[in-house]
Amino acid sequence: AQRVTQPEKLLSVFKGAPVELKCNYSYSGSPELFWYVQYSRQRLQLLLRHISRESIKGFTADLNKGETSFHLKKPFAQEEDSAMYYCALSGGNQGGKLIFGQGTELSVKP
Amino acid sequence: GAVVSQHPSRVICKSGTSVKIECRSLDFQATTMFWYRQFPKQSLMLMATSNEGSKATYEQGVEKDKFLINHASLTLSTLTVTSAHPEDSSFYICSAPDQGHEQFFGPGTRLTVL
């Protein structure tokens, strides 16, 4: 079964601290993994995708097929990073539909 | 980037009535659109895939007769919640992929059924 798991509902850190939002997935095949972010009162937007291997707003994520993980990391959190973060999976032949994790609320305190 | 709009942004209706929600891709064409449901502080649950010119594909457990989807053109998909009940109250979000297959999300529609 396809599943995305984000074990932490809430992650609270101080400004300047490192951040790691965990994401594990279950999929029998080669999925495409994404991180989406939803700032307060805004729509969901793409943060990064594993195939592009780029860093957006200082965030990076590496796909670990052995551990079936796609954790999101940032070395120094900023207050403006406070938001809901969703890990999502798309199967290669499923027309782009996304399966989302439960989401992690990141709160960066001053 | 591409823009997806939804209308209305919020709607309140009486139990037993039907409500239509529109999802539009404003500056690109989308043969496929997706409808999600989101509960407060919870994940997005995929409800169905809307296909232009053909029937929608529903996820397991989603009643197709209750959640009617019509993809009438390359820029418009509608979701109609028929005979709405209070338990249908939720946040409904649509998305559409652009030519590069990146998903763009609408702002969502808050449905409250009294």
Side-chain angles (χ1 to χ4, degrees), chain A residues 3-62:
Chain A
R3 188 166 55 244
V4 178
T5 303
Q6 294 178 248
E8 302 137 332
K9 205 166 183 177
L10 172 65
L11 188 60
S12 185
V13 301
F14 286 103
K15 176 184 171 181
V19 168
E20 181 179 54
L21 287 79
K22 291 185 168 51
C23 172
N24 287 88
Y25 67 91
S26 172
Y27 184 78
S28 55
S30 295
E32 189 169 354
L33 274 297
F34 305 83
W35 275 99
Y36 284 85
V37 60
Q38 188 172 31
Y39 299 102
S40 179
R41 300 184 184 278
Q42 294 188 28
R43 68 185 72 194
L44 209 64
Q45 55 185 285
L46 178 66
L47 182 61
L48 53 80
R49 56 203 304 179
H50 90 268
I51 59 170
S52 61
R53 301 181 65 82
E54 57 186 347
S55 172
I56 304 293
K57 299 185 179 183
F59 285 97
T60 59
D62 291 315

Coordinates of all heavy atoms in Angstrom, one line a residue, chain A residues 3-62:
Chain A
R3 N 1.8 4.8 1.2 CA 1.6 5.5 2.5 C 2.8 6.4 2.7 O 4.0 6.1 2.4 CB 1.5 4.5 3.6 CG 1.1 5.2 4.9 CD 0.6 4.1 6.0 NE 1.6 3.1 6.2 CZ 1.5 1.8 5.9 NH1 0.4 1.4 5.4 NH2 2.4 1.0 6.2
V4 N 2.5 7.6 3.3 CA 3.5 8.6 3.7 C 3.3 8.9 5.2 O 2.2 9.2 5.6 CB 3.4 9.9 2.9 CG1 4.5 10.9 3.3 CG2 3.6 9.6 1.4
T5 N 4.4 8.8 5.9 CA 4.3 8.9 7.4 C 5.2 10.1 7.8 O 6.4 10.1 7.5 CB 4.7 7.7 8.1 OG1 3.8 6.6 7.7 CG2 4.5 7.8 9.6
Q6 N 4.6 11.0 8.5 CA 5.3 12.1 9.2 C 5.0 11.9 10.7 O 4.0 12.2 11.1 CB 4.9 13.5 8.7 CG 5.2 13.7 7.2 CD 4.7 15.1 6.7 OE1 3.7 15.1 5.9 NE2 5.3 16.1 7.3
P7 N 6.0 11.4 11.4 CA 5.7 11.0 12.8 C 5.5 12.2 13.7 O 4.9 12.0 14.8 CB 7.0 10.3 13.2 CG 8.1 10.8 12.2 CD 7.4 11.1 11.0
E8 N 6.0 13.4 13.4 CA 5.9 14.5 14.3 C 4.8 15.4 13.8 O 4.8 15.9 12.7 CB 7.2 15.3 14.3 CG 8.4 14.5 14.7 CD 9.6 14.8 13.9 OE1 9.5 15.2 12.7 OE2 10.7 14.6 14.4
K9 N 3.8 15.7 14.7 CA 2.7 16.6 14.4 C 3.2 18.0 14.6 O 2.8 18.9 13.9 CB 1.5 16.3 15.3 CG 0.2 16.7 14.8 CD -0.9 16.1 15.6 CE -2.3 16.4 15.0 NZ -3.4 15.8 15.6
L10 N 4.0 18.2 15.6 CA 4.5 19.6 15.9 C 6.0 19.5 16.2 O 6.5 18.6 17.0 CB 3.8 20.2 17.1 CG 4.3 21.5 17.6 CD1 4.1 22.6 16.6 CD2 3.5 21.8 18.9
L11 N 6.7 20.4 15.6 CA 8.2 20.5 15.9 C 8.4 22.0 16.2 O 8.2 22.9 15.4 CB 9.0 20.1 14.7 CG 10.5 20.0 14.8 CD1 10.8 19.0 15.9 CD2 11.1 19.6 13.5
S12 N 9.0 22.2 17.4 CA 9.2 23.6 17.9 C 10.7 23.7 18.1 O 11.3 23.0 18.9 CB 8.4 23.8 19.2 OG 8.6 25.2 19.6
V13 N 11.3 24.7 17.5 CA 12.7 25.0 17.6 C 13.0 26.5 17.8 O 12.1 27.3 17.5 CB 13.6 24.5 16.4 CG1 13.4 23.0 16.2 CG2 13.2 25.3 15.2
F14 N 14.2 26.8 18.3 CA 14.5 28.2 18.3 C 15.2 28.7 17.1 O 15.8 27.9 16.4 CB 15.4 28.5 19.6 CG 14.7 28.5 20.9 CD1 14.8 27.3 21.7 CD2 13.9 29.5 21.3 CE1 14.1 27.3 22.9 CE2 13.2 29.5 22.5 CZ 13.3 28.4 23.3
K15 N 15.1 30.0 16.8 CA 15.7 30.6 15.6 C 17.2 30.2 15.6 O 17.9 30.3 16.7 CB 15.5 32.1 15.7 CG 16.2 32.8 14.6 CD 16.0 34.3 14.8 CE 16.8 35.1 13.8 NZ 16.6 36.6 14.0
G16 N 17.7 29.8 14.5 CA 19.1 29.5 14.4 C 19.5 28.0 14.6 O 20.6 27.6 14.3
A17 N 18.5 27.3 15.2 CA 18.8 25.9 15.4 C 18.5 25.1 14.2 O 17.8 25.5 13.3 CB 17.8 25.4 16.5
P18 N 19.2 23.9 14.1 CA 18.9 23.0 13.0 C 17.5 22.4 13.0 O 17.0 22.2 14.1 CB 20.0 22.0 13.1 CG 20.3 21.9 14.5 CD 20.1 23.3 15.1
V19 N 17.0 22.1 11.9 CA 15.7 21.5 11.8 C 15.7 20.2 10.9 O 16.4 20.2 9.9 CB 14.7 22.5 11.2 CG1 13.4 21.8 10.8 CG2 14.4 23.7 12.1
E20 N 15.0 19.2 11.4 CA 14.8 18.0 10.5 C 13.4 17.6 10.7 O 13.0 17.2 11.8 CB 15.8 16.9 10.9 CG 15.6 15.7 10.0 CD 16.6 14.5 10.4 OE1 16.6 14.1 11.5 OE2 17.3 14.1 9.4
L21 N 12.7 17.6 9.6 CA 11.3 17.1 9.6 C 11.3 15.7 8.9 O 11.8 15.6 7.8 CB 10.4 18.0 8.8 CG 10.0 19.4 9.5 CD1 11.1 20.4 9.3 CD2 8.7 19.9 8.9
K22 N 10.8 14.8 9.6 CA 10.9 13.4 9.2 C 9.8 13.0 8.2 O 8.7 13.4 8.4 CB 11.0 12.4 10.4 CG 12.3 12.5 11.2 CD 12.4 11.5 12.2 CE 13.8 11.4 12.9 NZ 14.3 12.7 13.3
C23 N 10.2 12.1 7.3 CA 9.2 11.6 6.3 C 9.6 10.2 5.9 O 10.7 10.0 5.5 CB 9.0 12.5 5.1 SG 8.0 11.8 3.8
N24 N 8.8 9.2 6.1 CA 9.0 7.9 5.6 C 7.9 7.5 4.7 O 6.7 7.9 4.9 CB 9.1 6.9 6.8 CG 10.4 7.1 7.6 OD1 10.5 7.9 8.5 ND2 11.4 6.3 7.2
Y25 N 8.2 6.7 3.8 CA 7.2 6.3 2.8 C 7.1 4.8 2.6 O 8.1 4.1 2.9 CB 7.4 7.0 1.5 CG 8.6 6.6 0.7 CD1 8.6 5.6 -0.2 CD2 9.9 7.2 1.0 CE1 9.8 5.2 -0.9 CE2 11.0 6.9 0.3 CZ 11.0 5.8 -0.6 OH 12.1 5.5 -1.2
S26 N 6.0 4.4 2.0 CA 5.9 3.0 1.6 C 5.3 2.9 0.2 O 4.2 3.5 0.0 CB 4.9 2.3 2.6 OG 4.6 1.0 2.2
Y27 N 6.0 2.3 -0.7 CA 5.6 2.3 -2.1 C 6.4 1.2 -2.8 O 7.6 1.1 -2.7 CB 5.9 3.6 -2.8 CG 5.3 3.7 -4.2 CD1 4.0 3.9 -4.4 CD2 6.2 3.6 -5.3 CE1 3.5 4.0 -5.7 CE2 5.7 3.7 -6.5 CZ 4.4 3.9 -6.8 OH 3.9 3.9 -8.0
S28 N 5.6 0.4 -3.5 CA 6.3 -0.7 -4.3 C 6.6 -0.3 -5.7 O 5.8 -0.5 -6.6 CB 5.3 -1.9 -4.3 OG 4.1 -1.5 -4.9
G29 N 7.7 0.4 -5.8 CA 8.1 0.9 -7.1 C 9.1 2.1 -6.9 O 9.7 2.2 -5.9
S30 N 9.2 2.9 -7.9 CA 10.0 4.1 -7.8 C 9.2 5.4 -7.7 O 8.8 5.9 -8.8 CB 11.0 4.2 -9.0 OG 11.8 3.1 -9.1
P31 N 8.9 5.8 -6.5 CA 8.1 7.0 -6.4 C 8.9 8.3 -6.6 O 10.1 8.3 -6.6 CB 7.6 6.9 -4.9 CG 8.8 6.3 -4.2 CD 9.4 5.3 -5.2
E32 N 8.1 9.3 -6.8 CA 8.7 10.7 -6.8 C 8.2 11.3 -5.4 O 7.1 11.2 -5.1 CB 8.2 11.5 -7.9 CG 8.9 12.8 -8.1 CD 8.6 13.5 -9.4 OE1 7.9 12.9 -10.3 OE2 9.1 14.6 -9.6
L33 N 9.2 11.9 -4.7 CA 8.9 12.5 -3.4 C 9.0 14.0 -3.5 O 9.8 14.6 -4.2 CB 9.9 11.9 -2.4 CG 9.6 10.6 -1.7 CD1 8.3 10.7 -0.8 CD2 9.5 9.5 -2.6
F34 N 8.1 14.6 -2.7 CA 8.0 16.1 -2.6 C 7.8 16.5 -1.2 O 7.4 15.8 -0.3 CB 6.7 16.5 -3.4 CG 6.6 16.0 -4.8 CD1 6.0 14.8 -5.1 CD2 6.9 16.9 -5.8 CE1 5.9 14.3 -6.4 CE2 6.8 16.4 -7.1 CZ 6.3 15.2 -7.4
W35 N 8.2 17.8 -1.0 CA 7.8 18.5 0.2 C 7.0 19.7 -0.2 O 7.5 20.5 -1.1 CB 9.1 18.9 1.0 CG 9.6 17.9 1.9 CD1 10.6 17.0 1.7 CD2 9.1 17.5 3.2 NE1 10.8 16.2 2.7 CE2 9.9 16.5 3.7 CE3 8.1 18.0 4.0 CZ2 9.7 15.9 5.0 CZ3 7.9 17.4 5.3 CH2 8.7 16.4 5.7
Y36 N 5.9 19.9 0.4 CA 5.1 21.0 0.2 C 5.0 21.8 1.5 O 5.0 21.3 2.6 CB 3.6 20.6 -0.2 CG 3.5 20.2 -1.6 CD1 3.8 18.9 -2.0 CD2 3.2 21.1 -2.7 CE1 3.7 18.5 -3.3 CE2 3.1 20.7 -4.0 CZ 3.4 19.4 -4.3 OH 3.3 19.0 -5.6
V37 N 4.8 23.1 1.4 CA 4.7 24.0 2.5 C 3.4 24.8 2.5 O 3.0 25.2 1.4 CB 6.0 24.9 2.7 CG1 6.1 25.8 1.5 CG2 5.9 25.7 4.0
Q38 N 2.8 25.0 3.6 CA 1.6 25.9 3.7 C 1.8 26.9 4.8 O 1.7 26.6 6.0 CB 0.4 25.0 3.9 CG -0.9 25.7 3.8 CD -2.1 24.8 3.9 OE1 -2.1 23.7 4.5 NE2 -3.2 25.1 3.2
Y39 N 2.1 28.1 4.4 CA 2.2 29.2 5.3 C 0.8 29.6 5.8 O -0.2 29.3 5.1 CB 2.9 30.4 4.7 CG 4.4 30.1 4.3 CD1 4.7 29.8 3.0 CD2 5.4 29.9 5.3 CE1 6.0 29.5 2.6 CE2 6.7 29.6 4.9 CZ 6.9 29.4 3.6 OH 8.2 29.0 3.2
S40 N 0.7 30.3 6.9 CA -0.6 30.7 7.5 C -1.4 31.4 6.5 O -1.0 32.4 5.9 CB -0.3 31.5 8.7 OG -1.5 31.9 9.3
R41 N -2.6 30.9 6.3 CA -3.6 31.6 5.4 C -3.2 31.6 4.0 O -3.7 32.5 3.2 CB -3.9 33.0 5.9 CG -4.5 33.1 7.3 CD -4.9 34.5 7.7 NE -5.3 34.6 9.1 CZ -6.6 34.3 9.5 NH1 -7.5 33.9 8.6 NH2 -6.9 34.4 10.8
Q42 N -2.3 30.8 3.6 CA -1.9 30.7 2.2 C -2.1 29.3 1.6 O -2.4 28.4 2.4 CB -0.4 31.1 2.0 CG -0.1 32.5 2.4 CD 1.3 32.9 2.0 OE1 1.9 32.3 1.1 NE2 1.8 33.9 2.8
R43 N -2.1 29.2 0.3 CA -2.3 27.9 -0.3 C -1.0 27.0 -0.2 O 0.1 27.5 0.0 CB -2.7 28.1 -1.7 CG -1.6 28.6 -2.6 CD -2.2 28.9 -4.0 NE -3.1 30.0 -4.1 CZ -3.9 30.3 -5.1 NH1 -4.0 29.5 -6.1 NH2 -4.7 31.3 -5.0
L44 N -1.2 25.8 -0.5 CA -0.1 24.8 -0.5 C 0.8 25.2 -1.7 O 0.3 25.5 -2.8 CB -0.7 23.4 -0.7 CG 0.0 22.2 -0.1 CD1 0.1 22.3 1.4 CD2 -0.7 21.0 -0.5
Q45 N 2.1 25.1 -1.4 CA 3.0 25.3 -2.5 C 4.2 24.4 -2.4 O 4.6 24.0 -1.4 CB 3.5 26.8 -2.5 CG 4.1 27.3 -1.2 CD 4.5 28.7 -1.3 OE1 5.5 29.1 -1.9 NE2 3.7 29.5 -0.6
L46 N 4.7 24.1 -3.6 CA 5.9 23.2 -3.7 C 7.1 23.8 -3.1 O 7.5 24.9 -3.4 CB 6.1 22.8 -5.1 CG 7.3 21.8 -5.4 CD1 7.0 20.5 -4.8 CD2 7.5 21.7 -6.9
L47 N 7.8 23.0 -2.2 CA 9.0 23.5 -1.6 C 10.2 22.9 -2.4 O 11.1 23.6 -2.9 CB 9.1 23.1 -0.1 CG 10.4 23.6 0.6 CD1 10.5 25.1 0.6 CD2 10.3 23.0 2.0
L48 N 10.2 21.5 -2.5 CA 11.2 20.9 -3.3 C 10.8 19.5 -3.7 O 9.9 18.9 -3.1 CB 12.6 20.9 -2.7 CG 12.7 20.4 -1.2 CD1 12.8 18.9 -1.2 CD2 14.0 21.0 -0.6
R49 N 11.4 18.9 -4.7 CA 11.1 17.6 -5.2 C 12.4 16.8 -5.3 O 13.5 17.5 -5.6 CB 10.4 17.6 -6.5 CG 11.1 18.4 -7.6 CD 10.2 18.9 -8.7 NE 9.4 17.8 -9.3 CZ 8.5 18.0 -10.3 NH1 8.3 19.3 -10.7 NH2 7.8 17.1 -10.8
H50 N 12.4 15.6 -5.1 CA 13.7 14.8 -4.9 C 14.5 14.8 -6.3 O 15.7 14.8 -6.3 CB 13.5 13.4 -4.4 CG 13.2 12.4 -5.4 ND1 12.0 12.0 -5.8 CD2 14.1 11.6 -6.0 CE1 12.1 11.0 -6.7 NE2 13.3 10.7 -6.8
I51 N 13.8 14.8 -7.4 CA 14.5 14.6 -8.6 C 15.3 15.9 -9.0 O 16.2 15.8 -9.8 CB 13.5 14.3 -9.8 CG1 12.4 15.4 -10.0 CG2 12.9 12.9 -9.5 CD1 11.6 15.2 -11.2
S52 N 14.9 17.0 -8.5 CA 15.6 18.2 -8.8 C 16.9 18.4 -8.0 O 17.8 19.2 -8.4 CB 14.7 19.5 -8.7 OG 14.3 19.6 -7.4
R53 N 16.9 17.8 -6.8 CA 18.0 17.8 -6.0 C 18.5 19.3 -5.7 O 19.7 19.5 -5.7 CB 19.2 17.0 -6.5 CG 18.8 15.5 -6.7 CD 20.0 14.7 -7.3 NE 21.1 14.7 -6.3 CZ 21.1 13.8 -5.3 NH1 20.2 12.9 -5.1 NH2 22.1 13.8 -4.5
E54 N 17.6 20.2 -5.6 CA 18.1 21.6 -5.3 C 17.7 22.0 -3.9 O 16.9 21.3 -3.2 CB 17.4 22.5 -6.3 CG 15.9 22.4 -6.3 CD 15.3 23.3 -7.5 OE1 16.0 24.1 -8.1 OE2 14.1 23.1 -7.8
S55 N 18.3 23.1 -3.5 CA 18.0 23.6 -2.2 C 17.1 24.9 -2.3 O 17.4 25.8 -3.1 CB 19.3 24.0 -1.5 OG 19.0 24.7 -0.3
I56 N 16.0 24.9 -1.6 CA 15.1 26.0 -1.7 C 14.9 26.6 -0.3 O 14.7 25.9 0.7 CB 13.7 25.5 -2.2 CG1 13.8 24.8 -3.5 CG2 12.7 26.7 -2.2 CD1 14.2 25.7 -4.6
K57 N 15.1 27.9 -0.2 CA 15.0 28.6 1.1 C 15.9 27.9 2.2 O 15.6 27.9 3.3 CB 13.6 28.6 1.6 CG 12.7 29.4 0.6 CD 11.3 29.5 1.2 CE 10.4 30.3 0.2 NZ 9.0 30.5 0.7
G58 N 17.0 27.3 1.7 CA 17.9 26.7 2.7 C 17.6 25.3 3.0 O 18.3 24.6 3.8
F59 N 16.4 24.8 2.6 CA 16.0 23.4 2.9 C 16.6 22.5 1.8 O 16.7 22.8 0.7 CB 14.5 23.3 2.8 CG 13.8 23.9 4.0 CD1 13.3 25.2 3.9 CD2 13.7 23.2 5.2 CE1 12.6 25.8 5.0 CE2 13.0 23.8 6.3 CZ 12.5 25.0 6.2
T60 N 16.9 21.3 2.3 CA 17.3 20.2 1.4 C 16.7 18.9 1.9 O 16.2 18.8 3.1 CB 18.9 20.0 1.5 OG1 19.3 19.7 2.8 CG2 19.6 21.2 0.9
A61 N 16.5 18.0 1.0 CA 16.0 16.7 1.4 C 16.6 15.6 0.4 O 16.7 15.8 -0.8 CB 14.5 16.6 1.2
D62 N 17.1 14.5 1.0 CA 17.7 13.5 0.3 C 16.8 12.2 0.3 O 16.4 11.8 1.4 CB 19.1 13.2 0.8 CG 20.1 14.3 0.5 OD1 20.0 14.8 -0.6 OD2 20.8 14.7 1.4

